[in-house]
Amino acid sequence: MALAKELMGYPLITERSSLVSSASHFKKRTQSTQFSINPFDRRPRKTKSGVVAAISEDLVKTLRFSTTTGDRKSEEEEKAAVKFKVRAVVTVRNKNKEDLKETLVKHLDAFADKIGRNIVLELISTQLDPKTKLPKKSNAAVLKDWSKKSKTKAERVHYTAEFTVDAAFGSPGAITVMNKHQKEFFLESITIEGFALGPVHFPCNSWVQSQKDHPDKRIFFTNQPYLPNETPSGLRVLREKELKNLRGDGSGVRKLSDRIYDFDVYNDLGNPDKSSELSRPKLGGKEVPYPRRCRTGRQSTVSDKDAESRVEKPLPMYVPRDEQFEESKQDTFAAGRLKAVLHHLIPSLKASIVAEDFADFGEIDRLYKEGLLLKLGFQDDIFEKFPLPKVVVDTLQESTKGLLKYDTPKILSKDKNAWLRDDEFARQAIAGINPVNIERVKTFPPVSNLDPKIYGPQHSALTDDHIIGHLDGFSVQQALEENRLYMLDYHDIFLPFLDRINALDGRKAYATRTIFFLTRLGTLKPVAIELSLPPHGPKHRSKRVLTPPVDATSNWMWQLAKAHVSSNDAGVHQLVNHWLRTHACLEPFILAAHRQLSAMHPIFKLLDPHMRYTLEINALARQSLISADGVIEGGFTAGAYGMEMSAAAYKSSWRFDMEGLPADLIRRGMAIPDATQPHGLKLLIEDYPYANDGLLLWSAIQTWVRTYVERYYPNPNLIKTDSELQSWYSESINVGHADLRDADWWPELSTVDDLVSILTTLIWLASAQHAALNFGQYPYGGYVPNRPPLMRRLIPDESDPEYASFISHPEKYYFSSMPSLAQTSKFMAVVDTLSTHSPDEEYIGERQQPSIWTGDAEIVEAFYGFAAEIGRIEKEIEKRNADPDRRNRCGAGVLPYELLVPSSEPGVTCRGVPNSVSI
């Protein structure tokens, strides 16, 4: 009778009680969570659906008969003799659009399903069978009604399957899926109903391939988190088997349907088989250190055995199947790519008819008012050149009316001339798209760290006399002592490349330093710009200093100098701070996580939303953004040497221990440690919008991570002995960042504080840091004069032949220095795409299946607490943007700082913090 009570003595339970039940099934944790659990408006309402299936009456009769006949079998044998049925509810996500081939295969699968080629599932217990010593299994069950529901148009289709298990089965821990159809399908989740412990959830979110392509059964685990040493006996072999499958064996060419995560160097950026001019050095290794990327296994090129052959658009690059963009993300990205193609194609076709340079500022303005085709004057006749059927041309003409008209960038929205002012130029250093390079001046004049034997004297050409008149009565020494001098210093990163850059056709650059003064109002103003070129002989004037203008000529000179600074800034922002420090440096940690951390591991569950889409967007970047003759080379000053510059920064200045926000602020001298302050540091520029808002998010992430980590690691010995965790961190460093593995600054992983710091840094980089550097690219850079990505002419002095033409036509000279129409058009279209949020974006404080992503009820509640804190931060940022005392984000014509506002609508919004590097 005890067995009957065990199986029947549970009331019908809701989703909430099922979480509590499954949490009690999990090993009891004693640590309290740090987040208070308050209601939050994003939290999904609990429903009374999803009721546990009742035990059948036949089972009840069997149990009663067993207990009244005096059966003296052992309890295990008694349970084994009793069979009962449980039900699986399987959620499959349909594609919104299918091509003809996919539709045909779908119909064939529907027919095949009727004759026995089904989707087959098998339930696996957490326990071993005492006789066979193998995991207990249910019978094989097939999905019902696949054929009947094959024409269902809904986004999600729910199927059922029925398993028979005995009473000794124990708790389900895994489920295997075999796809005997021809076509892959996206398995979103499985819920098992009918066990006494309540519904058992399997969040899957994965493509299940056909048996013909991948003969092995797919393995999915419940949402219950387990450290490796806590893995139930029935799941240990499966846990290791799944990780082995994900690692692969390091050989072979990857198929698009594979799920294999492995490392390789950046040897696929060039295309030497097409042209020797498209050959690029391998990034990664002793000669040119760089992080590793996802291995594809493609064959080497004919011309260079060390270079991997390329896959060109529109063919897809390999990333593991589950890392590929989902459908709505693909549509958003494809629309952006079409826009980029059209914007680039049309001015290229028209280059022989229309002057390449802009004539004046009005021509740029008309790109937003009239659109590119109207500006060029051939909106109708351009499509006659397309070798396409008329119906397609008509559709293109209609659909491209919006595509070929640029949206007005946000920088022009409140004051179209603000970008010309010095105060706005300075404000963008702390509240623009690249607020992470500004540093406090600790020594004046500044000193280079480059080898003087190669690059000339280390001292700067800046002197006290250059700036003393702009310091509001302070002496230079007083300004230094009172922390009022700040700098953008691009001298050392650009100077080693300038000879090669300036030899490129249509590229001219300096290595710049800009000195700013912090006024009593808390705003910055530029007081000097130093422009450096490589020294060529003792009489060569390699350095010059410009100061704020005093007349018409010096005003145009000053505007050109600021443009060169902005061009330096744009290049370092894109190649170092954005691409290298978020995209490229995170990829090794993501690859190692999939290879070394089981889906059951609590740390994998924590990191999972922060890894979404990163491998795919990085692969697309290798294909068309950072590749030879790609967007970055074509649109930025460094040209073909851009990625070498990125690699130089990785070698000389990237340090993982300095990538967290507080450490970075202190390293740059923008803050000093202060235990009395809320975040343990004091900002030296109090109104520093990026840092002010960033510290709120950093603190919330850190508190959430600490809550999570302390839940699973109550003592440091558990961290030291966690084989998967240690393997993940070790492989991230020793393989993923192999070229820097011997650096002494890598943090250890021995304590709770170590793990909290490492995870907080990774989540910060993937979410807030990337958002701050990415989603303002079009709002600030879409107006190219504000942030020219490249310059085409140097600034003339009186001894230059060009000086006379500059004096005669300064505006014409200015625009001949800026990017051309074709360069501008292509650049604007690309940064528009990169600044766009897709409809399926997941923002910080959100995640898929928020109530069942983990089976630990206390952690689910803590996550809702984290989400509530994110909501409070959003309201605080809105208050700050309305505070007139914060002059760097509020005032006449001043843009509010919204890049770290957590939420956003789809599109180009200049706000929103997605969980991951997804664009």
Side-chain angles (χ1 to χ4, degrees):
M1 200 63 191
L3 178 60
K5 289 179 180 178
E6 180 185 340
L7 290 169
M8 294 182 62
Y10 285 77
L12 301 178
I13 55 181
T14 65
E15 180 188 12
R16 177 180 175 83
S17 61
S18 74
L19 284 167
V20 177
S21 299
S22 59
S24 64
H25 169 67
F26 184 51
K27 182 176 179 180
K28 183 68 177 173
R29 311 280 183 186
T30 57
Q31 277 62 41
S32 61
T33 56
Q34 294 182 18
F35 277 113
S36 58
I37 312 304
N38 297 320
F40 183 56
D41 57 5
R42 292 189 198 172
R43 180 173 179 167
R45 297 178 62 133
K46 301 287 176 125
T47 66
K48 294 186 178 180
S49 60
V51 173
V52 179
I55 305 297
S56 68
E57 289 188 14
D58 290 340
L59 173 57
V60 177
K61 292 175 184 176
T62 304
L63 292 170
R64 287 175 177 164
F65 176 78
S66 173
T67 54
T68 56
T69 55
D71 190 346
R72 299 185 179 277
K73 292 180 181 178
S74 70
E75 186 175 347
E76 187 71 25
E77 290 175 319
E78 179 185 324
K79 288 182 178 181
V82 177
K83 305 288 185 182
F84 66 99
K85 292 182 178 180
V86 296
R87 186 175 73 132
V89 178
V90 178
T91 302
V92 172
R93 193 188 307 166
N94 274 342
K95 276 183 142 187
N96 293 324
K97 302 172 188 172
E98 291 179 337
D99 59 30
L100 183 61
K101 180 181 177 182
E102 288 174 322
T103 303
L104 179 61
V105 173
K106 185 175 181 178
H107 289 316
L108 290 173
D109 282 341
F111 174 75
D113 197 81
K114 290 181 178 180
I115 59 173
R117 295 193 60 81
N118 312 107
I119 309 295
V120 183
L121 291 74
E122 197 171 37
L123 206 53
I124 299 173
S125 172
T126 57
Q127 300 175 7
L128 293 176
D129 186 309
K131 292 181 179 178
T132 65
K133 305 302 182 185
L134 297 173
K136 297 176 182 177
K137 296 181 180 180
S138 72
N139 66 309
V142 300
L143 283 195
K144 296 179 180 179
D145 299 328
W146 185 280
S147 178
K148 185 188 298 185
K149 295 181 178 181
S150 64
K151 295 181 181 178
T152 303
K153 298 297 182 184
E155 182 181 9
R156 288 172 175 82
V157 182
H158 303 289
Y159 300 92
T160 60
E162 202 170 69
F163 301 98
T164 300
V165 296
D166 60 48
F169 183 80
S171 304
I175 195 165
T176 62
V177 181
M178 175 61 77
N179 178 9
K180 295 184 179 180
H181 293 170
Q182 297 290 306
K183 187 172 177 278
E184 65 177 5
F185 68 92
F186 189 84
L187 179 57
E188 188 171 89
S189 66
I190 301 172
T191 300
I192 306 296
E193 299 172 337
F195 284 97
L197 59 88
V200 180
H201 299 287
F202 295 80
C204 304
N205 297 306
S206 182
W207 289 95
V208 179
Q209 300 301 320
S210 168
Q211 182 183 19
K212 68 181 175 60
D213 297 317
H214 293 271
D216 291 342
K217 297 176 181 177
R218 280 296 308 277
I219 303 165
F220 296 98
F221 299 104
T222 69
N223 61 354
Q224 204 60 58
Y226 295 105
L227 295 177
N229 63 351
E230 297 172 334
T231 310
S233 56
L235 302 180
R236 287 174 192 159
V237 172
L238 287 178
R239 183 172 186 148
E240 182 49 46
K241 181 181 179 182
E242 176 67 356
L243 283 174
K244 187 177 180 182
N245 290 340
L246 292 169
R247 292 183 197 122
D249 61 6
S251 66
V253 179
R254 297 276 66 84
K255 297 183 295 185
L256 292 175
S257 59
D258 285 346
R259 295 172 57 247
I260 295 176
Y261 298 77
D262 205 351
F263 299 92
D264 208 342
V265 294
Y266 281 73
N267 62 348
D268 63 343
L269 302 182
N271 193 348
D273 287 349
K274 186 174 182 180
S275 167
S276 60
E277 293 182 358
L278 296 178
S279 181
R280 295 293 179 269
K282 178 182 72 175
L283 305 184
K286 289 183 179 180
E287 291 185 15
V288 188
Y290 213 64
R292 300 302 188 260
R293 49 94 172 175
C294 183
R295 179 185 179 276
T296 68
R298 296 194 302 269
Q299 300 298 316
S300 62
T301 61
V302 175
S303 309
D304 182 354
K305 297 302 180 187
D306 290 332
E308 187 173 273
S309 58
R310 287 187 53 75
V311 173
E312 302 292 358
K313 296 181 295 185
L315 296 175
M317 297 270 280
Y318 170 77
V319 293
R321 181 64 181 99
D322 291 339
E323 306 302 319
Q324 295 171 29
F325 287 166
E326 292 178 20
E327 198 169 6
S328 62
K329 180 76 170 181
Q330 285 177 340
D331 291 345
T332 302
F333 196 79
R337 179 174 277 178
L338 172 62
K339 182 186 285 191
V341 167
L342 289 171
H343 278 297
H344 179 51
L345 171 67
I346 291 164
S348 297
L349 290 174
K350 200 70 174 176
S352 60
I353 304 172
V354 177
E356 199 174 351
D357 299 337
F358 290 101
D360 52 37
F361 290 105
E363 280 206 348
I364 300 178
D365 293 342
R366 285 192 286 275
L367 289 177
Y368 314 113
K369 294 175 183 176
E370 302 171 0
L372 187 61
L373 292 185
L374 280 176
K375 180 201 173 309
L376 295 177
F378 63 124
Q379 186 156 10
D380 296 322
D381 65 28
I382 179 63
F383 288 102
E384 294 176 9
K385 302 184 190 308
F386 281 85
L388 299 169
K390 184 177 185 305
V391 64
V392 176
V393 170
D394 291 344
T395 304
L396 263 177
Q397 278 185 292
E398 187 60 35
S399 65
T400 54
K401 285 178 181 175
L403 287 174
L404 291 165
K405 185 176 180 181
Y406 292 98
D407 294 325
T408 301
K410 194 173 182 180
I411 186 64
L412 302 178
S413 64
K414 298 186 78 172
D415 180 351
K416 64 176 290 187
N417 296 315
W419 68 275
L420 278 165
R421 298 197 314 263
D422 284 359
D423 63 289
E424 176 62 19
F425 172 73
R427 189 192 73 85
Q428 289 185 35
I430 54 174
I433 188 57
N434 188 37
V436 299
N437 269 107
I438 190 166
E439 58 185 291
R440 180 164 52 90
V441 176
K442 299 171 185 175
T443 302
F444 189 88
V447 178
S448 169
N449 292 316
L450 296 175
D451 185 345
K453 294 177 183 177
I454 302 174
Y455 301 108
Q458 292 179 311
H459 62 268
S460 166
L462 288 159
T463 66
D464 289 11
D465 290 342
H466 286 122
I467 67 172
I468 190 67
H470 305 284
L471 303 185
D472 296 357
F474 287 86
S475 70
V476 174
Q477 188 59 34
Q478 284 176 316
L480 283 170
E481 290 172 357
E482 296 194 21
N483 301 318
R484 290 186 178 275
L485 290 183
Y486 294 84
M487 174 172 60
L488 288 176
D489 187 355
Y490 299 123
H491 180 277
D492 286 7
I493 190 167
F494 266 94
L495 197 67
F497 294 92
L498 280 186
D499 278 337
R500 287 181 285 170
I501 290 171
N502 289 338
L504 295 170
D505 185 33
R507 302 293 166 94
K508 290 293 181 283
Y510 296 99
T512 67
R513 287 191 182 104
T514 307
I515 306 297
F516 298 95
F517 175 73
L518 180 64
T519 70
R520 289 180 174 88
L521 294 175
T523 58
L524 293 171
K525 64 177 183 179
V527 295
I529 295 173
E530 181 184 36
L531 306 170
S532 296
L533 293 169
H536 294 291
K539 294 184 179 180
H540 181 257
R541 186 185 176 193
S542 62
K543 298 177 188 291
R544 62 192 290 194
V545 176
L546 281 79
T547 54
V550 294
D551 57 22
T553 300
S554 59
N555 181 67
W556 278 107
M557 292 276 195
W558 183 246
Q559 294 300 337
L560 283 166
K562 288 195 297 182
H564 274 282
V565 171
S566 296
S567 177
N568 273 193
D569 188 77
V572 172
H573 161 258
Q574 196 68 267
L575 292 161
V576 180
N577 299 329
H578 179 207
W579 166 257
L580 172 67
R581 293 174 63 186
T582 62
H583 286 259
C585 286
L586 282 174
E587 185 158 348
F589 290 95
I590 293 170
L591 290 169
H594 285 281
R595 289 166 54 84
Q596 303 296 342
L597 295 175
S598 167
M600 288 189 281
H601 199 292
I603 300 305
F604 185 89
K605 291 180 181 294
L606 174 69
L607 289 175
D608 189 36
H610 305 291
M611 303 188 288
R612 185 179 188 227
Y613 291 156
T614 303
L615 297 185
E616 169 82 338
I617 195 62
N618 285 4
L620 289 168
R622 298 201 319 274
Q623 186 176 47
S624 57
L625 290 180
I626 62 172
S627 57
D629 207 27
V631 171
I632 301 297
E633 288 195 4
F636 286 82
T637 291
Y641 308 108
M643 288 303 290
E644 290 181 63
M645 186 180 291
S646 179
Y650 178 69
K651 180 181 180 180
S652 65
S653 61
W654 185 82
R655 290 179 50 156
F656 182 74
D657 63 327
M658 294 291 159
E659 287 299 287
L661 179 59
D664 179 55
L665 291 170
I666 292 168
R667 171 173 65 168
R668 291 188 282 120
M670 302 302 292
I672 55 174
D674 186 344
T676 67
Q677 297 293 315
H679 307 287
L681 54 78
K682 178 184 178 183
L683 291 173
L684 298 180
I685 299 178
E686 291 183 14
D687 183 16
Y688 182 1
Y690 158 77
N692 298 138
D693 297 355
L695 285 168
L696 293 178
L697 288 171
W698 171 273
S699 183
I701 294 167
Q702 185 180 53
T703 303
W704 157 236
V705 170
R706 183 169 293 280
T707 299
Y708 194 96
V709 167
E710 290 182 348
R711 174 85 169 146
Y712 298 100
Y713 298 99
N715 68 74
N717 192 52
L718 288 172
I719 290 176
K720 294 175 185 176
T721 59
D722 185 333
S723 57
E724 288 184 7
L725 184 72
Q726 293 294 335
S727 294
W728 162 68
Y729 190 54
S730 174
E731 187 171 70
S732 298
I733 296 169
N734 293 309
V735 182
H737 286 278
D739 307 325
L740 300 181
R741 64 186 169 206
D742 295 326
D744 58 7
W745 42 253
W746 283 105
E748 292 190 5
L749 180 50
S750 302
T751 67
V752 166
D753 285 347
D754 293 341
L755 183 54
V756 169
S757 176
I758 291 164
L759 294 172
T760 302
T761 298
L762 291 172
I763 293 172
W764 160 259
L765 290 171
S767 57
Q769 180 78 328
H770 179 259
L773 295 168
N774 185 73
F775 292 103
Q777 290 191 79
Y778 186 81
Y780 281 93
Y783 186 67
V784 166
N786 181 54
R787 283 180 64 78
L790 63 84
M791 296 293 285
R792 293 187 290 150
R793 301 179 83 169
L794 297 176
I795 303 173
D797 62 23
E798 293 181 13
S799 63
D800 292 328
E802 298 175 316
Y803 188 76
S805 63
F806 163 69
I807 293 294
S808 301
H809 302 285
E811 187 177 33
K812 183 177 180 182
Y813 190 94
Y814 180 86
F815 280 108
S816 70
S817 300
M818 289 280 161
S820 68
L821 168 62
Q823 290 167 330
T824 296
S825 178
K826 184 176 182 180
F827 174 77
M828 288 167 65
V830 170
V831 294
D832 178 72
T833 301
L834 297 180
S835 303
T836 300
H837 290 292
S838 64
D840 71 337
E841 201 86 87
E842 291 174 12
Y843 299 94
I844 193 161
E846 301 175 344
R847 60 182 299 160
Q848 292 182 8
Q849 300 159 318
S851 58
I852 62 165
W853 63 273
T854 177
D856 187 339
E858 286 194 35
I859 287 297
V860 169
E861 292 293 332
F863 181 74
Y864 287 132
F866 171 58
E869 179 62 19
I870 295 299
R872 287 189 284 272
I873 289 171
E874 184 157 325
K875 290 184 175 66
E876 173 61 24
I877 293 174
E878 289 171 1
K879 280 174 54 181
R880 292 175 174 183
N881 283 327
D883 182 355
D885 291 334
R886 297 177 182 266
R887 289 178 171 84
N888 293 316
R889 63 197 304 163
C890 181
V894 176
L895 293 183
Y897 186 72
E898 297 181 310
L899 285 167
L900 290 175
V901 173
S903 71
S904 176
E905 296 297 317
V908 179
T909 63
C910 202
R911 58 179 284 161
V913 180
N915 277 322
S916 62
V917 177
S918 59
I919 187 66

